[in-house]
Amino acid sequence: MNTELRLTVPVARVLAALVADPAGDHYGMELMHSSGLPSGTLYPILARLTEAGWLDKRWEDIDPSTARRPARAYYRLTPVALPVARQRLAELHEQTRPGPAHAAGKEATA
C-alpha cells in the first residue's frame, strides 16, 4: 500500500465517507452524496486509491436486465488502509484547527 498518497481536500472527503462506515460496501452514487463530489472528481480518486492499495473493489453479482440497472462497483478500505486513513484524517484535522492566535483574537472581540 502506498502511504505517501497526497491528501487533498477531495481525497479527504472520500476517505472520511469511507471511514464513517468502514465495514460497509460503498458505491459511486452513495459516495458522491456523502462526499459532495461530482462523478468527474470522485471516480479518478477511487481509481487512484484502488491502484495505491487503499481500496478493495468488487463488482456486484447481479443480472443487469433483471435488476434494470448496471452492476455496481463496490469499494471498501482495506484492513491495512483503515488505520492509516484515520490517522491521516486526524492529522489533517489537527493542521486545519484554528491556532491559539485565532482563538485569542475571538476572545478579544467577544
Side-chain angles (χ1 to χ4, degrees):
M1 183 182 89
N2 178 2
T3 58
E4 296 303 316
L5 185 73
R6 189 166 154 244
L7 194 61
T8 62
V9 171
V11 171
R13 286 183 178 181
V14 173
L15 289 177
L18 294 163
V19 165
D21 182 14
D25 288 323
H26 306 274
Y27 64 98
M29 184 66 73
E30 171 201 347
L31 289 169
M32 285 171 52
H33 289 287
S34 59
S35 69
L37 298 173
S39 62
T41 302
L42 176 68
Y43 285 104
I45 290 170
L46 292 174
R48 283 197 318 269
L49 289 170
T50 301
E51 185 176 313
W54 286 61
L55 299 181
D56 284 328
K57 177 182 177 181
R58 72 169 180 83
W59 285 95
E60 181 178 36
D61 186 21
I62 64 163
D63 177 3
S65 60
T66 302
R68 295 185 175 176
R69 63 172 176 78
R72 293 176 176 154
Y74 286 102
Y75 301 88
R76 182 185 293 196
L77 283 165
T78 65
V80 174
L82 179 59
V84 176
R86 284 182 173 146
Q87 178 64 35
R88 297 282 303 275
L89 289 170
E91 289 168 0
L92 180 65
H93 178 73
E94 188 62 29
Q95 291 170 4
T96 58
R97 266 186 17 180
H102 181 72
K106 278 190 169 184
E107 291 172 6
T109 60

